[in-house]
């Protein structure tokens, strides 16, 4: 890898590490009080800091793809590798949602979780699907063609919702055509249980989410070909601002919302990520900032392993019942953090403490030179 690519990879690791840090904080808010509004997802339409996390991870996947794709790899090996990786990521996500394979009943006992009730869509599953679509496009299409495909996916998704949903139901949780597709293919028992049929990681939403991956790829390729001069970083930041403006101009007709992953939401998050990534490149490569580098790169080198660990550990802790609090992690939030920091600050402190435990796991992996790659 060239010097530019190697330096850029440090920026990518830190960018991805910051994403993982915020993702764990958002997913593991301490019990006993509602978290800060910006650390909770918007209920339907709207936008919060928490809504930026998952799209940013997809953007980072695409950015890494711009370094990892090998044009010299034979087509058969390329497609086999992409299919294998997507299948493994999807399977990991499915098993993670099925874990811990038991649940706690009303009497406090443990009952086996039937495979027939396991959720099929999910975060890792969406990553796998987006990667499966984006990788061949990134390998075989020109920059102009990739931009055209992104536009077609965003406009096409909007058109599908309007054309195939019942009148007036295109933007509703249960009336949009995406929910109909998920219920038909997977059945209600295999979808997200808290929304009575709507799944925020449903199949149709993969179309606009794939654009987040392709945008990350395009920006990574731009940096590799243009370098990291101040003028280049400024142009990248201005491009991000332009994408944000486009999202806001579109939003009166197609509202911004993560759960439906609307096209303006995809554009808004892409624009934010471009600006943030430009800031990382400027601070690290141009200004030589080293503060937080070790901390964030540990999270960024093993993002998949650390994310899976964070989800499995908190679910395991919740299996340990501590009446009347609920699970052990609930007890930690309520009994240990709320008396010291009541309210949202205690919830945040609990989440940060848990994230540091996950960081320690990443540090342990890093010390041994272990990288989880699928």
């Amino acid at each position: 890898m060239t010097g530019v690519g190697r330096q850029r990879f440090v920026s990518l690791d830190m960018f991805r590490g910051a994403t993982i840090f915020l993702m764990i904080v958002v997913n593991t808010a301490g019990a006993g009080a509602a978290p800060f509004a910006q650390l909770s997802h918007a209920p339907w339409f709207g936008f919060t800091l928490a809504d930026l996390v998952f799209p940013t991870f997809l953007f980072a996947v695409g950015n890494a793809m711009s370094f990892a794709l090998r044009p010299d790899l034979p087509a058969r090996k390329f497609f086999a590798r992409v299919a294998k990786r997507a299948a493994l990521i999807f399977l990991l996500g499915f098993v993670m949602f099925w874990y811990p394979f038991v649940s706690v009943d009303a009497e406090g006992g443990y009952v086996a979780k039937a495979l027939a009730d396991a959720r099929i869509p999910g975060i890792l599953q969406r990553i796998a699907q987006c990667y499966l679509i984006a990788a061949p496009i990134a390998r075989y299409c020109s920059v102009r063609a990739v931009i055209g495909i992104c536009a077609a996916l965003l406009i096409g998704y909007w058109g599908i919702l309007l054309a195939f949903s019942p009148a007036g139901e295109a933007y509703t949780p249960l009336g949009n055509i995406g929910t109909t597709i998920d219920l038909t293919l997977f059945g209600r028992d295999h979808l997200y249980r808290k929304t009575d049929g709507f799944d925020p990681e449903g199949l149709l939403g993969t179309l606009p989410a794939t654009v987040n991956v392709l945008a990350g790829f395009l920006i990574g390729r731009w940096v590799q070909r243009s370098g990291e001069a101040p003028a280049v970083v400024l142009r990248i930041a201005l491009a991000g601002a332009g994408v944000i403006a486009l999202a806001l101009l579109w939003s009166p007709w197609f509202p911004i919302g993560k759960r439906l992953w609307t096209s303006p939401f995809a554009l808004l998050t892409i624009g934010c990520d471009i600006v943030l990534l430009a800031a990382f490149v400027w601070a690290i490569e141009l200004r030589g900032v080293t503060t937080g580098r070790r901390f964030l790169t540990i999270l960024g080198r093993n993002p998949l392993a650390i994310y899976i660990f964070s989800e499995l550990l908190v679910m395991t802790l919740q299996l340990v019942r501590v009446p009347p609090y609920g699970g052990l992690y609930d007890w930690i939030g309520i009994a240990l953090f709320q008396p010291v920091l009541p309210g949202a600050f205690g919830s945040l402190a609990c989440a940060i403490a848990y994230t540091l435990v996950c960081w320690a796991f990443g540090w342990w992996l890093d010390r041994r030179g272990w990288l989880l790659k699928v």
Side-chain angles (χ1 to χ4, degrees), residues 10-168:
V10 173
S11 298
L12 174 60
D13 276 344
M14 294 185 68
F15 177 76
R16 192 164 45 202
T19 303
I20 289 295
F21 184 89
L22 185 58
M23 179 180 286
I24 299 174
V25 167
V26 168
N27 290 346
T28 57
F36 289 105
Q38 284 299 314
L39 297 179
S40 299
H41 293 293
W44 190 243
F45 293 134
F47 185 72
T48 68
L49 180 62
D51 293 332
L52 183 60
V53 175
F54 186 21
T56 301
F57 193 87
L58 290 174
F59 182 88
V61 168
N63 205 270
M65 190 188 299
S66 70
F67 293 88
L69 284 181
R70 290 175 47 193
D72 60 326
L73 192 68
R76 180 176 296 180
K77 289 185 178 180
F78 167 76
F79 282 106
R81 184 172 297 180
V82 168
K84 179 182 177 182
R85 189 180 190 199
L88 286 174
I89 294 174
F90 191 98
L91 181 61
L92 283 172
F94 178 77
V95 173
M96 188 176 73
F97 277 116
W98 190 20
Y99 181 86
F101 316 120
V102 295
S103 58
V104 181
D105 61 21
E107 287 73 34
Y110 297 102
V111 294
K113 292 175 65 175
L115 181 61
D117 295 333
R119 183 185 175 198
I120 294 177
I123 291 175
L124 292 182
Q125 293 92 315
R126 173 161 285 181
I127 292 173
Q129 293 162 2
C130 290
Y131 172 75
L132 186 65
I133 298 171
I137 295 173
R139 175 182 166 106
Y140 290 106
C141 296
S142 66
V143 170
R144 181 175 295 181
V146 173
I147 294 174
I149 290 170
C150 288
L153 288 172
L154 294 177
I155 297 172
Y157 176 62
W158 189 27
I160 290 171
L161 286 176
L162 292 175
F164 296 101
S165 303

Side-chain angles (χ1 to χ4, degrees), residues 13-367:
D13 276 344
M14 294 185 68
F15 177 76
R16 192 164 45 202
T19 303
I20 289 295
F21 184 89
L22 185 58
M23 179 180 286
I24 299 174
V25 167
V26 168
N27 290 346
T28 57
F36 289 105
Q38 284 299 314
L39 297 179
S40 299
H41 293 293
W44 190 243
F45 293 134
F47 185 72
T48 68
L49 180 62
D51 293 332
L52 183 60
V53 175
F54 186 21
T56 301
F57 193 87
L58 290 174
F59 182 88
V61 168
N63 205 270
M65 190 188 299
S66 70
F67 293 88
L69 284 181
R70 290 175 47 193
D72 60 326
L73 192 68
R76 180 176 296 180
K77 289 185 178 180
F78 167 76
F79 282 106
R81 184 172 297 180
V82 168
K84 179 182 177 182
R85 189 180 190 199
L88 286 174
I89 294 174
F90 191 98
L91 181 61
L92 283 172
F94 178 77
V95 173
M96 188 176 73
F97 277 116
W98 190 20
Y99 181 86
F101 316 120
V102 295
S103 58
V104 181
D105 61 21
E107 287 73 34
Y110 297 102
V111 294
K113 292 175 65 175
L115 181 61
D117 295 333
R119 183 185 175 198
I120 294 177
I123 291 175
L124 292 182
Q125 293 92 315
R126 173 161 285 181
I127 292 173
Q129 293 162 2
C130 290
Y131 172 75
L132 186 65
I133 298 171
I137 295 173
R139 175 182 166 106
Y140 290 106
C141 296
S142 66
V143 170
R144 181 175 295 181
V146 173
I147 294 174
I149 290 170
C150 288
L153 288 172
L154 294 177
I155 297 172
Y157 176 62
W158 189 27
I160 290 171
L161 286 176
L162 292 175
F164 296 101
S165 303
E169 299 291 320
Y171 303 154
T172 63
L174 300 182
N176 77 85
I177 184 59
T179 297
T180 303
I181 293 172
D182 293 335
L183 288 170
T184 302
L185 292 179
F186 305 129
R188 189 179 302 272
D189 291 340
H190 288 296
L191 300 177
Y192 192 58
R193 295 302 179 88
K194 296 181 181 180
T195 51
D196 193 32
F198 170 77
D199 198 300
E201 279 77 48
L203 193 61
L204 188 60
T206 302
L207 298 180
T210 299
V211 178
N212 290 81
V213 177
L214 290 172
F217 167 78
L218 290 174
I219 294 300
R221 183 169 172 173
W222 187 359
V223 171
Q224 290 179 73
R225 296 195 171 188
S226 303
E228 297 167 345
V232 174
V233 176
L234 177 60
R235 285 197 294 270
I236 292 173
L238 290 175
V243 175
I244 292 172
L246 183 59
L248 297 178
L249 289 172
W250 195 352
S251 63
W253 294 274
F254 197 7
I256 292 169
K258 173 189 179 295
R259 297 186 187 275
L260 195 58
W261 210 287
T262 64
S263 300
F265 171 78
L267 289 175
L268 177 62
T269 54
I270 288 167
C272 290
D273 288 334
I274 293 173
V275 172
L276 287 172
L277 188 55
F280 269 81
V281 174
W282 175 83
I284 297 160
E285 270 68 57
L286 300 182
R287 301 291 296 177
V289 174
T290 59
T291 303
R293 176 174 293 195
R294 173 69 172 161
F295 182 85
L296 292 179
T297 52
I298 283 176
L299 292 170
R301 285 175 189 157
N302 256 311
L304 186 59
I306 295 171
Y307 168 69
I308 293 174
F309 173 82
S310 72
E311 292 290 313
L312 297 184
L313 178 58
V314 75
M315 287 188 283
T316 302
L317 292 174
Q318 286 294 81
L319 278 179
V320 181
R321 310 310 292 172
V322 186
Y325 299 95
L328 179 57
Y329 191 69
D330 290 336
W331 175 82
I332 292 171
I334 297 170
L336 298 186
F337 284 90
Q338 284 300 315
V340 179
L341 291 169
F345 285 102
S347 176
L348 176 60
C350 180
I352 291 175
Y354 181 78
T355 305
L356 293 177
V357 171
C358 298
W359 179 90
F361 172 70
W363 173 84
W364 180 77
L365 293 176
D366 192 67
R367 287 270 294 182

